[in-house]
Amino acid sequence: MTWIVDNLDLIGELALVHLRLAVPPIVLAFVLSVPIGWFAWRYAWSRGVLLSVIGLIYAIPSLPLFVALPAILGTSRRSELNVIVALALYGIALMVRSAADGFGGVDRDVRQAATGVGFSGWRRFWQVDLPLAGPVLLAGLRVVAVSSVSLVTVGAVIGVQSLGSLFTDGFQRGIQAEIWAGLIATMLLAFAIDGLLVVAGRLVMPWTRASARDSGGRRAGRAREREAAAV
Amino acid sequence: MSLFADAFAWLLDPANWEGPGGIGVLLLQHLLITFGAVAIACGIGIPLGMLVGHTGRGREVAVALSGGLRALPSLGVLTLVALWVGIGVAGPAVALIVLAVPSVLAGTYSAIESVDRRTVDAARGMGMTERQIILGVETPIGLPTLIGGVRSAVLQVVATATLAAYVGAGGLGGILFLGLKTGDYTLMLAASILVIALALVLDGAFALLQRIVVPAGVRATRSGTLRDRTTRRSASMGQPAIEGNN
């Protein structure tokens, strides 16, 4: 384990690069998936097609996608953009379903009440649909975040630096501690981002905490969290 | 797009399919590694998942295990085990099994758990033993979800098996890494197209299987010929139903 102590600088540096690769796709996936998911929910005819076609992206293995993207995008082979685009695609593949489910789960009566008191469609989306779909969106986003952080490491194989470089380097030089360092650092990073999302969710959606206080709600809340962890 | 033309030309050249290092052999190897690892993972994950889903015991552990897996980088597991066990097929095989078990486990327990408890109670009331309930009631009804778990395990393993070539396990990843080492992008792209096609075909096959295995009685309920529907939301893969943790 002395390797880890001696190379803390390197690990920290790679962790920052790792973040630079992981965060943009997570944000992109969220921003793009909410309208697509809303569309899939709003126009039922598009739901089946959209969800299955987009879901198919997730079946594509990551390394081949990293390799194939330069030919499609015209980017250089070691460009960080390949990894970012690929991860954004995976994020969308996971997130659109959550978004469609989230909007689908909004109580119809609540929506009608909002229309009844004179909310326009635009205002209803921001003040009713989006907040009420929030917990499901958050659950989806957490899954996207954790898997994105983990998938960034595969980029190391095609020469895009990240914590995954500790795996390839450690394997080539036969240093087990280096691989352990990469494993632990990647998982810590994933859990840290996941934790931040949970905290952000509580700040943005204070009512989810309030409803968790009564005993029935607490059980539901815990089930929801567990669900998020299990997906 | 000439990059793709080159890659397809390479793929369609029969000379590249023959021989011990040809695409044919590597494809077969890839499939063998994938299904071998998933079969062993099923041998471990399905019985465990049935137990967890039926009794509800160990549920927290199973959920944490299947959730934590997402944070676990497969390349890290692969290189670590390969360093331990040494280069060859054994190391990657162990890593692939480790990566596949949680998916199978999650799919199985949520399948069993998502079965309506009233149905289970009815079976118990008719005098079925617990074993009969698991195998004769819960498993057939939850089969689509269970297969969903196997499906995601297969997808993960088929993808990671490509990476396994990095530590010398053979399979289609071998072509990709050969291209990577020699800087031959045509080879890399051709191998990538092959692996992507393979993954999509397997995913499609499992999607079809999931539709086929729905028991006739359950299908009847869905089309509305029977009055009572299950009260539980059918759980999607690895996603335990929200309501009723009884």
Side-chain angles (χ1 to χ4, degrees), chain A residues 126-215:
Chain A
W126 288 103
Q127 299 193 337
V128 179
D129 287 348
L130 192 62
L132 288 180
V136 182
L137 291 177
L138 179 66
L141 187 62
R142 291 176 63 190
V143 174
V144 171
V146 171
S147 60
S148 293
V149 171
S150 158
L151 276 174
V152 166
T153 58
V154 177
V157 174
I158 55 162
V160 177
Q161 290 266 313
S162 71
L163 286 171
S165 309
L166 298 174
F167 302 148
T168 49
D169 191 60
F171 178 69
Q172 270 152 18
R173 291 162 61 195
I175 307 173
Q176 263 191 33
E178 189 173 358
I179 299 177
W180 274 114
L183 263 177
I184 295 165
T186 308
M187 294 187 80
L188 283 180
L189 205 60
F191 292 137
I193 292 183
D194 187 47
L196 277 178
L197 284 176
V198 173
V199 172
R202 288 208 184 129
L203 292 177
V204 180
M205 301 180 288
W207 64 90
T208 48
R209 204 176 16 167
S211 69
R213 242 174 248 142
D214 64 277
S215 61

Side-chain angles (χ1 to χ4, degrees), chain A residues 7-133:
Chain A
N7 291 278
L8 274 179
D9 284 351
L10 174 71
I11 297 170
E13 215 173 282
L14 289 175
L16 282 181
V17 180
H18 201 105
L19 272 178
R20 190 173 76 211
L21 287 167
V23 173
I26 298 171
V27 176
L28 265 175
F30 184 74
V31 172
L32 295 175
S33 298
V34 168
I36 303 175
W38 182 85
F39 190 89
W41 161 75
R42 176 67 182 76
Y43 301 99
W45 52 268
S46 70
R47 187 186 157 92
V49 180
L50 267 178
L51 291 191
S52 42
V53 169
I54 292 177
L56 211 58
I57 300 173
Y58 203 69
I60 298 175
S62 53
L63 178 60
L65 186 59
F66 289 166
V67 170
L69 273 176
I72 299 167
L73 300 173
T75 44
S76 121
R77 265 161 236 168
R78 293 190 169 191
S79 165
E80 294 188 348
L81 204 62
N82 300 322
V83 174
I84 291 176
V85 172
L87 293 182
L89 285 175
Y90 287 132
I92 292 170
L94 286 170
M95 190 71 211
V96 166
R97 181 170 291 273
S98 301
D101 287 350
F103 290 121
V106 176
D107 195 336
R108 274 183 68 173
D109 295 344
V110 175
R111 193 177 283 123
Q112 281 180 344
T115 313
V117 295
F119 275 41
S120 66
W122 182 251
R123 191 169 161 213
R124 197 188 61 190
F125 172 79
W126 288 103
Q127 299 193 337
V128 179
D129 287 348
L130 192 62
L132 288 180

